[in-house]
């Protein structure tokens, strides 16, 4: 390997690591904002979206760990830490999905209506824009490194775009119509997507390639 090639690979892995850290940081902030406003405004879809963001942080840590190993000359085969992170992620997604289904069911039965879903619209629009940029850059880096793991992460990141679109549809729909069950319906859609992400995480932990059931669509 020439010195120029070595420097180029190092820069690419540095960028991949930076993108992973940005993803982790963004999901933490997004989770705090979404859970806070979701609880304050009694918006189930926004609250569930925020919890999903926190779960994504665990997955992001696993990706960052993998990039660090690859940058130091290791393989992209998942080690014990990454497999454990994926199993925790999968379990958390399943728990989140179950909680959202139960809460949405109770809300539908009781005729719950959120106070407002304006913040859901704001958060979803910001998330769509930011995740599109992350997806674009992750895909470019993954192709340049010919890295299946980074490309899989980029492809599965589309799930965040779909989740954001669901949140936007539910939030905007309520603000335009005042139909209370739209918020619960959005929460159920997020639960369904979380369940698919959980299945994907357990599949990857077991050594399966990323089929991106959540991302071939986010």
């Amino acid at each position: 390997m020439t010195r120029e090639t070595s420097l180029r690979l190092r820069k690419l892995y540095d960028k991949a690591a930076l993108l992973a850290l940005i993803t982790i940081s963004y999901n933490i902030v997004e989770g705090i904002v979404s859970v806070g406003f979701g609880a304050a405004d009694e918006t189930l879809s926004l609250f569930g979206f925020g919890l999903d963001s926190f779960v994504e942080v665990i997955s992001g840590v696993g990706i960052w760990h993998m990039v660090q190993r690859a940058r130091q000359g290791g393989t992209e085969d998942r080690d014990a830490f990454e497999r454990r992170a994926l199993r925790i992620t999968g379990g958390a997604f399943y728990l989140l999905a179950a909680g959202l289904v139960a809460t949405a069911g109770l809300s539908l039965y009781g005729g719950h209506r959120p106070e407002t879903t304006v913040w859901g619209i704001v958060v979803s629009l910001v998330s769509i824009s930011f995740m599109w940029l992350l997806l674009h850059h992750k895909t470019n880096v993954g192709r340049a490194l010919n890295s299946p793991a980074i490309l899989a992460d980029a492809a599965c990141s589309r799930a965040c775009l779909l989740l954001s679109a669901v949140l936007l549809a539910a939030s905007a729909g309520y603000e335009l119509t005042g139909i209370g069950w739209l918020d619960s319906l959005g929460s159920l859609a997020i639960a369904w997507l979380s369940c698919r992400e959980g299945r994907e995480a357990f599949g990857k932990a077991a050594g399966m390639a990323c089929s991106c059931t959540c991302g071939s669509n986010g």
Side-chain angles (χ1 to χ4, degrees):
M1 182 184 299
T2 65
R3 184 171 182 274
E4 291 75 13
T5 301
S6 178
L7 288 173
R8 176 175 173 273
L9 288 176
R10 181 175 179 179
K11 288 181 179 179
L12 286 170
Y13 276 119
D14 285 346
K15 184 175 182 180
L18 178 61
L19 287 171
L21 289 175
I22 290 174
T23 302
I24 293 169
S25 301
Y26 176 81
N27 278 321
I28 291 173
V29 174
E30 182 180 75
I32 292 172
V33 171
S34 299
V35 167
F37 281 110
D41 297 335
E42 299 183 0
T43 309
L44 294 179
S45 54
L46 181 58
F47 187 82
F49 183 82
L51 293 179
D52 185 277
S53 297
F54 285 134
V55 179
E56 292 286 358
V57 170
I58 305 173
S59 177
V61 170
I63 292 296
W64 177 83
H65 178 76
M66 182 278 297
V67 171
Q68 292 297 100
R69 285 195 302 105
R71 183 166 57 177
Q72 296 170 8
T75 67
E76 290 192 356
D77 294 335
R78 294 183 178 92
D79 64 7
F81 176 87
E82 292 158 41
R83 290 193 295 271
R84 189 178 303 113
L86 283 167
R87 287 192 290 269
I88 293 172
T89 299
F93 273 131
Y94 280 145
L95 287 174
L96 171 59
L100 288 176
V101 168
T103 305
L106 291 173
S107 297
L108 287 169
Y109 179 78
H112 170 77
R113 294 165 60 91
E115 293 185 14
T116 179
T117 55
V118 170
W119 278 107
I121 296 174
V122 173
V123 170
S124 62
L125 289 175
V126 172
S127 181
I128 288 172
S129 302
F130 194 81
M131 286 300 161
W132 185 87
L133 287 173
L134 281 178
L135 172 62
H136 172 74
H137 288 291
K138 286 180 180 181
T139 300
N140 287 342
V141 171
R143 287 174 178 169
L145 288 170
N146 192 28
S147 168
I150 295 175
L151 285 173
D153 177 49
C156 290
S157 291
R158 293 193 183 97
C160 295
L161 287 174
L162 183 57
L163 282 166
S164 301
V166 167
L167 176 61
L168 177 60
S171 300
Y174 176 77
E175 285 298 319
L176 290 172
T177 66
I179 300 175
W181 56 261
L182 286 176
D183 180 51
S184 297
L185 185 63
S187 180
L188 288 173
I190 291 174
W192 178 62
L193 291 171
S194 295
C195 188
R196 293 176 70 180
E197 288 186 273
R199 182 178 62 185
E200 182 74 30
F202 276 117
K204 288 189 286 186
M208 296 168 56
C210 178
S211 61
C212 291
T213 55
C214 59
S216 59
N217 29 71

